[in-house]
Amino acid sequence: MAEKNVADHLLERLRDWNVEHVFAYAGDGINGILAAWGRAENHPQFVQSRHEEMSAFEAVGYAKFTDRLGVCMATSGPGAIHLLNGLYDAKLDHVPVVAIVGQTNRSAMGGSYQQEVDLLSLYKDVASDYVQMVTVPEQLPNVLDRAIRTALTQRAPTALIIPADVQELPYSPPTHEFKMVPSSLGFDRPHITPDDGAIARAAEILNAGHKVALLVGNGARAASAEIEQVADTLGAGAAKALLGKDVLSDELPWVTGAIGLLGTRPSYEMMRDCDTLLTIGSSFPYTQFLPDYGQARGVQIDLDARLVGMRYPNEVNLVADARTALLALLPHLEYKQDRSWREKIEADVARWWETMDMQAAVPADPVNPLRLFAALSPRLPDDVIVTADSGSSANWYARQLRFRGRMRGSLSGTLATMGPGVPYAIGAKFAHPERPVIAFAGDGAMQMNGLAELITIRRYWQSWRDPRLIVAVLHNNDLNQVTWEMRAMAGSPKFAESQTLPDIDYAAFAASLGLQAVTVTDPDDLDSAWDAALTADRPTLLDVHTDPNMPPIPPHATWEQFKAATAAVLGGDEDRWDFVKEGLRTKAQEFLPHPNR
């Protein structure tokens, strides 16, 4: 058997860590590793995207939907640069990803050589928890193991830089000598338990409250049953940060849904009126949607001490695993006999869902985008994974889809970057090839990179046990979220040169790849389109021609604010009359009589 080189050992070590997929793109800066892949019979599997940024997004999606490590790889110079946006997405959403990148030969470093970039400096922010260059073979196992352990324990991206000539050096392990660093595989995760005194103080605050609100984030995923017990005991309602949408079922009558600009009116009003706030596993950044300072007493539970106490002036900050902390807290909580607060929340939630149905029924030209999501919601398979891109599709994902049970969903939360919707879905399919996946993307995101990643779907879909990957395109020829932000935040009319998109036949492109493609221009066809996609024997693209003038009205928007935005738009927006007509119709649904009220 031929002697193993550094690249051979790199792939062997990844296998030892149970890494099954590496999302990557080729280049001569990693030629040595690519050759080793051939010798390793493509294990772990090399998943080829159309662009390195998509490789990073796919690794993030894979990690988000497995709670396992995502791994991406790229060549030196431009390839390493292209990974950055996806890695920042991982950093800001606290997702474990390891990036492995090539570099020019050691002998060329410092010589302004082709594709030479100072990668240690470039990556020192995005991979601030751990970034290192491998310069000798004996260094590899320790550096790789530390990168993996750090990514998993800190929930952060880390990076390895391996020069091209090092990849091809004969591998020799670290020896038992001075300045050699041995290494080992694996680790056992601890359960971080809270201090008894802190539990007692937290219970005192929660028991004293009359109007308790919960804010639940992605860090509470393993504690949903305990959250339900806490909420029932305290007569509380629960709002969900956007990344925590799939933590609690939307069928629970006291779950108020999303919070923030993309959130619901019940979440906004619950935070406005509560006297006690319990935050679990969330670093939700928009403090204007939390209670006023001094209004509520605060308790926070988070595994990461760096994230507690920085959004609200809490009295108790518990650093602990969410489930462990809640199990310790529950015996100290007193059942609240007065259920009037809970009853008000449940009434508000029921009215909100009726409002969402009424807004989805507002006539539009041609298709009301809310109706696209409303038609899917009752059809969602129990084990579905849903991704959404940044933009107006994120609004309707947050508000219109009612998750339950095992359903999972995510998007780019804190970075809010365009482009991850389709590659997240691809990462999800490699993570769970037996589950259906649905991606929502605006036409801006599809033109940016989604169309290219349809080619990736075409390449791999037949290897997935469940072939259903549905990409629903909100086709309105407008960069719609920014258009609305200009109108509502800047008080400016739409600037067509920046906002209008070229009209593309997305369905025709998908059909040319052999995917199922359905064009929807009539809202009455939405039900049959979803049924066709959900029963298909291959991936499907839904090219849904939606109305760009349906307003994503924030939950706190008043009639006065809406009228002020309308006045600004009337100053010269090319869609001003449709905006006024459909905006008034949509906003009015909040105030019209509801069928069950």
Side-chain angles (χ1 to χ4, degrees), residues 126-158:
V126 72
S128 56
D129 284 276
Y130 192 78
V131 55
Q132 191 57 255
M133 183 184 296
V134 178
T135 57
V136 294
E138 294 82 2
Q139 189 186 0
L140 176 66
N142 176 62
V143 170
L144 178 60
D145 294 348
R146 285 197 69 194
I148 292 174
R149 271 192 289 266
T150 302
L152 289 169
T153 57
Q154 301 303 309
R155 296 173 298 135
T158 59

Coordinates of all heavy atoms in Angstrom, one line a residue, residues 126-158:
V126 N -14.0 36.0 11.0 CA -15.1 35.1 10.8 C -14.9 33.8 11.6 O -15.8 33.2 12.1 CB -15.4 34.8 9.3 CG1 -14.2 34.0 8.7 CG2 -16.7 34.1 9.1
A127 N -13.6 33.4 11.7 CA -13.3 32.2 12.4 C -12.5 32.5 13.7 O -11.5 31.9 14.0 CB -12.5 31.2 11.5
S128 N -13.0 33.6 14.4 CA -12.2 34.1 15.5 C -12.0 33.1 16.6 O -11.1 33.2 17.4 CB -12.9 35.4 16.0 OG -14.2 35.1 16.4
D129 N -12.9 32.1 16.7 CA -12.8 31.1 17.8 C -11.6 30.1 17.5 O -11.0 29.7 18.4 CB -14.1 30.3 17.9 CG -15.1 31.1 18.6 OD1 -15.1 31.0 19.9 OD2 -16.0 31.7 18.0
Y130 N -11.3 29.9 16.2 CA -10.1 29.1 15.9 C -9.8 29.1 14.4 O -10.7 28.7 13.6 CB -10.3 27.6 16.3 CG -9.0 26.8 16.3 CD1 -8.1 26.9 17.3 CD2 -8.8 26.0 15.3 CE1 -6.9 26.2 17.3 CE2 -7.6 25.2 15.2 CZ -6.7 25.3 16.2 OH -5.5 24.6 16.2
V131 N -8.6 29.6 14.1 CA -8.2 29.5 12.7 C -6.7 29.2 12.8 O -5.9 29.9 13.5 CB -8.5 30.8 11.9 CG1 -8.0 32.0 12.6 CG2 -7.9 30.7 10.5
Q132 N -6.2 28.3 12.0 CA -4.8 27.9 12.0 C -4.3 27.4 10.7 O -5.1 26.8 9.9 CB -4.6 26.9 13.1 CG -3.1 26.6 13.5 CD -2.4 27.8 13.9 OE1 -1.6 28.4 13.1 NE2 -2.7 28.3 15.1
M133 N -3.0 27.6 10.4 CA -2.4 27.1 9.2 C -1.6 25.8 9.5 O -0.8 25.9 10.5 CB -1.6 28.1 8.5 CG -1.0 27.6 7.2 SD 0.2 28.8 6.4 CE -1.0 30.2 6.1
V134 N -1.7 24.8 8.7 CA -0.9 23.6 8.9 C 0.4 23.8 8.1 O 0.3 23.9 6.8 CB -1.7 22.3 8.4 CG1 -0.8 21.1 8.5 CG2 -2.9 22.2 9.2
T135 N 1.5 23.7 8.7 CA 2.8 23.9 8.0 C 3.7 22.7 8.0 O 4.6 22.6 7.1 CB 3.6 25.1 8.6 OG1 3.8 24.8 10.0 CG2 2.8 26.4 8.4
V136 N 3.4 21.7 8.8 CA 4.1 20.4 8.8 C 3.1 19.3 9.1 O 2.1 19.5 9.7 CB 5.3 20.4 9.9 CG1 6.3 21.5 9.6 CG2 4.7 20.7 11.3
P137 N 3.4 18.1 8.6 CA 2.5 17.0 8.8 C 2.1 16.7 10.2 O 0.9 16.4 10.5 CB 3.2 15.8 8.1 CG 4.1 16.4 7.1 CD 4.6 17.7 7.8
E138 N 3.1 16.8 11.1 CA 2.8 16.4 12.5 C 1.8 17.4 13.2 O 1.2 17.0 14.3 CB 4.1 16.5 13.3 CG 5.1 15.4 12.9 CD 6.0 15.8 11.7 OE1 5.7 17.0 11.2 OE2 6.8 15.0 11.2
Q139 N 1.5 18.5 12.6 CA 0.6 19.5 13.2 C -0.8 19.1 12.9 O -1.8 19.6 13.6 CB 1.0 20.8 12.6 CG 0.3 22.0 13.2 CD 0.7 23.3 12.4 OE1 1.4 23.2 11.4 NE2 0.1 24.4 12.8
L140 N -1.1 18.3 11.8 CA -2.4 18.2 11.3 C -3.5 17.6 12.3 O -4.5 18.3 12.5 CB -2.4 17.3 10.0 CG -3.8 17.0 9.5 CD1 -4.5 18.3 8.9 CD2 -3.7 16.0 8.4
P141 N -3.2 16.5 12.9 CA -4.3 16.0 13.7 C -4.8 16.9 14.9 O -6.0 17.0 15.1 CB -3.8 14.6 14.3 CG -2.3 14.7 14.1 CD -2.0 15.6 12.9
N142 N -3.8 17.5 15.5 CA -4.2 18.4 16.6 C -5.0 19.6 16.1 O -6.0 20.0 16.7 CB -2.9 18.9 17.4 CG -3.3 19.9 18.4 OD1 -4.0 19.6 19.4 ND2 -2.8 21.1 18.3
V143 N -4.5 20.2 15.0 CA -5.2 21.4 14.5 C -6.6 21.0 14.0 O -7.6 21.8 14.3 CB -4.4 22.0 13.3 CG1 -5.2 23.1 12.6 CG2 -3.1 22.6 13.9
L144 N -6.8 19.9 13.3 CA -8.1 19.5 12.8 C -9.0 19.2 14.0 O -10.2 19.6 14.0 CB -7.9 18.3 11.9 CG -9.3 17.8 11.3 CD1 -10.1 18.8 10.5 CD2 -9.0 16.5 10.4
D145 N -8.5 18.4 14.9 CA -9.3 18.0 16.1 C -9.8 19.2 16.9 O -10.9 19.3 17.3 CB -8.6 17.1 17.0 CG -8.3 15.7 16.3 OD1 -8.8 15.4 15.3 OD2 -7.4 15.0 16.9
R146 N -8.9 20.2 17.1 CA -9.3 21.4 17.8 C -10.3 22.2 17.0 O -11.2 22.8 17.6 CB -8.0 22.3 18.1 CG -7.1 21.7 19.2 CD -6.2 22.8 19.7 NE -6.9 23.8 20.4 CZ -6.4 25.0 20.8 NH1 -5.1 25.2 20.4 NH2 -7.0 25.9 21.4
A147 N -10.1 22.3 15.7 CA -11.1 23.0 14.9 C -12.5 22.4 15.0 O -13.5 23.2 15.2 CB -10.6 23.1 13.4
I148 N -12.5 21.1 15.0 CA -13.8 20.4 15.1 C -14.4 20.6 16.5 O -15.6 20.9 16.6 CB -13.7 18.9 14.7 CG1 -13.4 18.8 13.2 CG2 -15.0 18.2 15.1 CD1 -13.1 17.4 12.7
R149 N -13.6 20.3 17.5 CA -14.2 20.5 18.9 C -14.6 21.9 19.2 O -15.6 22.1 19.8 CB -13.1 20.0 19.9 CG -13.2 18.5 20.2 CD -12.3 18.2 21.4 NE -10.9 18.3 21.1 CZ -10.2 17.2 20.7 NH1 -10.7 16.1 20.6 NH2 -8.9 17.4 20.5
T150 N -13.8 22.9 18.7 CA -14.2 24.3 19.0 C -15.5 24.6 18.2 O -16.3 25.3 18.8 CB -13.0 25.2 18.5 OG1 -11.8 24.8 19.2 CG2 -13.4 26.6 18.8
A151 N -15.6 24.2 17.0 CA -16.8 24.5 16.2 C -18.0 23.9 16.9 O -19.1 24.6 17.1 CB -16.7 23.9 14.8
L152 N -17.9 22.7 17.4 CA -19.1 22.0 18.0 C -19.4 22.6 19.4 O -20.6 22.8 19.7 CB -18.8 20.5 18.2 CG -18.8 19.7 16.8 CD1 -18.3 18.3 17.1 CD2 -20.2 19.7 16.3
T153 N -18.4 22.9 20.2 CA -18.7 23.4 21.6 C -19.0 24.9 21.6 O -19.8 25.3 22.4 CB -17.5 23.1 22.5 OG1 -16.3 23.7 21.9 CG2 -17.2 21.6 22.6
Q154 N -18.4 25.7 20.7 CA -18.7 27.1 20.7 C -19.8 27.4 19.7 O -20.2 28.6 19.6 CB -17.4 27.9 20.3 CG -16.3 27.7 21.3 CD -16.6 28.1 22.7 OE1 -17.2 29.1 23.0 NE2 -16.4 27.1 23.6
R155 N -20.3 26.4 18.9 CA -21.3 26.7 17.9 C -20.9 27.8 17.0 O -21.5 28.9 16.9 CB -22.6 27.0 18.6 CG -23.2 25.8 19.4 CD -24.4 26.1 20.2 NE -24.1 27.1 21.2 CZ -24.9 28.2 21.4 NH1 -26.0 28.4 20.7 NH2 -24.5 29.1 22.3
A156 N -19.8 27.6 16.3 CA -19.1 28.7 15.6 C -18.3 28.1 14.4 O -18.0 26.9 14.4 CB -18.2 29.5 16.5
P157 N -18.1 28.9 13.4 CA -17.2 28.5 12.3 C -15.7 28.5 12.7 O -15.3 29.5 13.4 CB -17.5 29.5 11.2 CG -17.9 30.7 11.9 CD -18.6 30.3 13.1
T158 N -15.0 27.5 12.3 CA -13.5 27.5 12.5 C -12.9 27.2 11.1 O -13.6 26.8 10.2 CB -13.1 26.5 13.5 OG1 -13.5 25.2 13.1 CG2 -13.7 26.8 14.9

